């Protein structure tokens, strides 16, 4: 497991957004600059990994935008 102090800037941004939005297992919505996507996760680590893959694909154009991850519903 990577420690927070050793994370790249993008990893830290995603981790902090997921950590702040984590509630419990279920469906989460990640949103930034008009893009949104639903994720299902039963752990914060899984959620952060999936959100990072998705956000990294947009980071070239939107890397400085605010990323919001919030609990959507229980599954």
């Amino acid at each position: 497991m990577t420690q927070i102090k050793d994370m790249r800037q993008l990893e830290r941004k995603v981790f902090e957004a997921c950590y702040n939005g984590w509630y419990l297992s279920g469906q989460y919505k990640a949103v930034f600059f008009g893009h949104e996507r639903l994720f299902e996760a039963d752990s914060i680590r899984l959620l952060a990994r999936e959100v990072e893959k998705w956000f990294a694909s947009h980071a070239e154009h939107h890397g400085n935008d605010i990323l919001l991850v919030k609990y959507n519903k229980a599954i």
Side-chain angles (χ1 to χ4, degrees):
M1 182 176 160
T2 305
Q3 293 185 3
I4 293 174
K5 66 180 183 162
D6 298 329
M7 290 181 177
R8 298 181 331 263
Q9 182 179 1
L10 179 65
E11 286 177 316
R12 181 177 285 199
K13 184 175 194 165
V14 171
F15 174 79
E16 289 174 354
C18 291
Y19 183 79
N20 291 336
W22 182 255
Y23 180 65
L24 57 105
S25 298
Q27 186 181 73
Y28 285 80
K29 182 187 290 189
V31 179
F32 71 94
F33 197 70
H35 299 275
E36 67 179 53
R37 183 164 173 197
L38 296 176
F39 297 91
E40 293 180 6
D42 59 1
S43 74
I44 191 170
R45 188 176 291 174
L46 177 62
L47 178 62
R49 187 178 325 132
E50 294 301 313
V51 171
E52 182 182 4
K53 288 179 193 175
W54 173 69
F55 187 65
S57 69
H58 299 292
E60 183 178 334
H61 301 289
H62 302 290
N64 292 328
D65 292 339
I66 295 171
L67 173 65
L68 173 66
V69 177
K70 63 182 183 174
Y71 187 70
N72 198 35
K73 68 177 182 177
I75 297 179

